[in-house]
Amino acid sequence: MRSIIPYLLFLFLLVMFTCSCRRDKTLTDPSAKLSFSMDTVLFDTVFTSIGSSTKQLKIYNNNNSKVIVSNIRLGHGNASPYRFNVDGIPGPSVKDLEILAKDSIFLFVEVTVDPLNSNSPLIVTDSILFETNGNQQDVNLVAWGQNAHYIRPDTYLQGLPPFSIVCDTTWTNNIPHVIYGYAVIDSLCKLTIEQGTQIHFHNNSGLWVYKGGSIKVNGTQDLPVVFQGDRLEPYYKEIPGQWDRIWLNEGSIDNEFNYAIIKNGLIGIQAETLEGFMGNQLTLNNSIIKNMSRSGIFSRFYKIQAGNTVISNCGLYAAELTMGGYYEFNHCTFANYWNQGTRKTPSVMVLNYYKDQNQQVYASPLYKADFNNSIIYGSLEDEVLVDDIGQGVDFNYGFNYTLVRTAKELSGSLVYKNEDPQFTDITKGDFSLKPNSFAIEKGSPTFVTGVLITDINGNIRSGNPDLGAFEFTP
């Protein structure tokens, strides 16, 4: 028995030595990756004074050998408002940090911002970059840069975007409102938005008026309500697709947008009824929808009445009116000079059916689609598509005293075709009229009622009005 003890001791020491050597070996494989406790370090404190907050990030080496992280650094370097300390070593750059096999280290990061500085961005972002054996990984850093009302999702349901409920409240213009995920106006709830309010959406975020809910936007000519993305750097000023949409569901009633600017999203307003007409209504006056990567308005069997409204520069359609419904556009300007890629679809499409993603066709009556004293123009040779599915389904539309770029024969009391409206500056999105515009005094006074007595800029219409949202003023 004694003779075997030295042998077993030798085997034990040999195994320990072998394992120790294996664990001390440095992994140089370029495919070696680190793992992190989170992919984004989010500073979710709403600062009320100059604020500093510290968060913790854990860095894992799940490999069977140690690794050497050649560089850990802040993306913006010394200019970053963030600071970090990793394994007791301060940044903004730490080199040649060793992490043993199956081990981990802690990184602590903090940020200091002045939320009372109105010139700072709403969202302060950076990243921590990790370079290991030639490959680079990163962890995002996100903090609030200004005082704002931050609406963050608290409900997660399969098949729906993350959302939070908004009910019977008023959004004021004292500080901006920033939406992450979807803000949902629930059934029988109402959201009122005061003049001058600034609303910012994070990527893929939106506003959703659910069944039985309603929204009222009370902008004015001097203080419009603005819906846009949360990136306020000059580069993003006119970039489409930065957020998702304003979504009006069936049963949402008395929805009003007055002097609203809706820009730089995927869809400006999506208004749809899928369970039968339920009195759904959207009133849109003196508003601008622009720079949408899909559509300015996307409708399925809804009731929309719009006046003095400009819809411009959308990737597919300015107005995508499908599955029938009830529509009246008075003194509206549809101007589609999309320059972010190739557009092959017309500015305005009117259908009494809809095809889903499986090409299943759903027919529904088009009770009315009238365009009165309006302009529909753009960069394509034909900017209108009207298509009737037949099958005895109602299909009623009219272009009345409206200037259209098209080769089609269209129904209406007076259709002006292919006359250049002479917009002031399409490159700058100025769709007012030049002195020699064909659209001057081509409208009918019949449609000049209510809010349409003045144009979108408050200029009085008299006699035979000009077409579109703008009345020419010398």
Side-chain angles (χ1 to χ4, degrees), residues 255-310:
N255 301 300
E256 294 183 28
F257 287 74
N258 299 295
Y259 287 101
I261 298 174
I262 306 170
K263 64 179 186 175
N264 303 342
L266 172 68
I267 296 173
I269 297 177
Q270 178 171 329
E272 61 183 4
T273 304
L274 300 180
E275 297 181 1
F277 194 70
M278 301 169 67
N280 313 291
Q281 182 171 308
L282 166 63
T283 301
L284 187 65
N285 287 321
N286 297 301
S287 294
I288 295 172
I289 303 175
K290 64 179 182 177
N291 300 338
M292 295 292 154
S293 54
R294 175 170 170 158
S295 302
I297 293 177
F298 172 38
S299 174
R300 286 187 281 197
F301 197 53
Y302 216 79
K303 182 177 181 180
I304 299 176
Q305 187 159 9
N308 285 344
T309 290
V310 181

Side-chain angles (χ1 to χ4, degrees), residues 430-450:
D430 184 352
F431 300 109
S432 60
L433 305 176
K434 290 181 179 179
N436 57 344
S437 171
F438 172 85
I440 294 175
E441 297 184 354
K442 294 299 193 302
S444 168
T446 303
F447 305 107
V448 181
T449 59

Side-chain angles (χ1 to χ4, degrees), residues 128-402:
I128 301 178
L129 306 175
F130 300 82
E131 188 172 336
T132 310
N133 297 340
N135 68 68
Q136 186 168 283
Q137 298 172 264
D138 67 272
V139 172
N140 297 316
L141 304 174
V142 179
W144 315 133
Q146 283 186 30
N147 270 356
H149 299 291
Y150 291 97
I151 300 167
R152 296 184 290 273
D154 54 19
T155 304
Y156 300 84
L157 299 176
Q158 187 173 2
L160 295 176
F163 65 89
S164 58
I165 298 294
V166 175
C167 190
D168 293 339
T169 188
T170 297
W171 288 356
T172 60
N173 61 13
N174 57 336
I175 55 177
H177 298 253
V178 183
I179 298 174
Y180 269 64
Y182 260 83
V184 176
I185 305 166
D186 207 357
S187 297
L188 305 180
C189 294
K190 182 178 181 179
L191 172 63
T192 302
I193 304 178
E194 285 188 351
Q195 62 183 23
T197 302
Q198 300 285 317
I199 299 164
H200 301 271
F201 298 93
H202 193 58
N203 185 36
N204 295 323
S205 298
L207 186 61
W208 184 2
V209 183
Y210 194 57
K211 297 179 181 178
S214 65
I215 181 173
K216 188 167 185 178
V217 177
N218 294 323
T220 65
Q221 183 182 338
D222 295 329
L223 294 171
V225 173
V226 181
F227 301 84
Q228 60 183 312
D230 63 3
R231 299 297 299 270
L232 303 185
E233 303 94 313
Y235 172 78
Y236 290 93
K237 185 177 180 180
E238 303 293 336
I239 298 297
Q242 296 179 47
W243 53 284
D244 196 44
R245 72 196 74 190
I246 299 171
W247 189 6
L248 310 179
N249 265 166
E250 55 261 290
S252 60
I253 57 174
D254 299 329
N255 301 300
E256 294 183 28
F257 287 74
N258 299 295
Y259 287 101
I261 298 174
I262 306 170
K263 64 179 186 175
N264 303 342
L266 172 68
I267 296 173
I269 297 177
Q270 178 171 329
E272 61 183 4
T273 304
L274 300 180
E275 297 181 1
F277 194 70
M278 301 169 67
N280 313 291
Q281 182 171 308
L282 166 63
T283 301
L284 187 65
N285 287 321
N286 297 301
S287 294
I288 295 172
I289 303 175
K290 64 179 182 177
N291 300 338
M292 295 292 154
S293 54
R294 175 170 170 158
S295 302
I297 293 177
F298 172 38
S299 174
R300 286 187 281 197
F301 197 53
Y302 216 79
K303 182 177 181 180
I304 299 176
Q305 187 159 9
N308 285 344
T309 290
V310 181
I311 307 178
S312 65
N313 298 344
C314 299
L316 292 181
Y317 309 95
E320 183 181 3
L321 311 179
T322 71
M323 210 169 176
Y326 182 103
Y327 309 100
E328 186 173 343
F329 295 92
N330 298 310
H331 280 288
C332 291
T333 298
F334 302 86
N336 207 349
Y337 296 88
W338 173 259
N339 61 4
Q340 301 291 320
T342 302
R343 175 176 66 94
K344 298 181 180 180
T345 49
S347 288
V348 173
M349 181 173 71
V350 181
L351 311 176
N352 59 353
Y353 63 90
Y354 172 77
K355 291 183 180 179
D356 66 14
Q357 59 186 4
N358 298 317
Q359 298 303 301
Q360 177 71 36
V361 177
Y362 301 89
S364 188
L366 179 69
Y367 295 118
K368 179 180 180 180
D370 283 353
F371 300 82
N372 307 315
N373 287 2
S374 295
I375 299 174
I376 302 171
Y377 225 80
S379 55
L380 300 185
E381 292 295 323
D382 206 318
E383 292 289 4
V384 171
L385 171 64
V386 289
D387 192 16
D388 179 8
I389 196 174
Q391 303 177 4
V393 179
D394 288 350
F395 190 67
N396 303 306
Y397 76 90
F399 295 88
N400 307 305
Y401 296 86
T402 291

Side-chain angles (χ1 to χ4, degrees), residues 431-472:
F431 300 109
S432 60
L433 305 176
K434 290 181 179 179
N436 57 344
S437 171
F438 172 85
I440 294 175
E441 297 184 354
K442 294 299 193 302
S444 168
T446 303
F447 305 107
V448 181
T449 59
V451 298
L452 302 176
I453 292 174
T454 58
D455 75 352
I456 191 172
N457 287 332
N459 300 309
I460 295 176
R461 291 188 171 104
S462 59
N464 289 329
D466 303 342
L467 305 183
F470 299 94
E471 186 77 3
F472 173 73

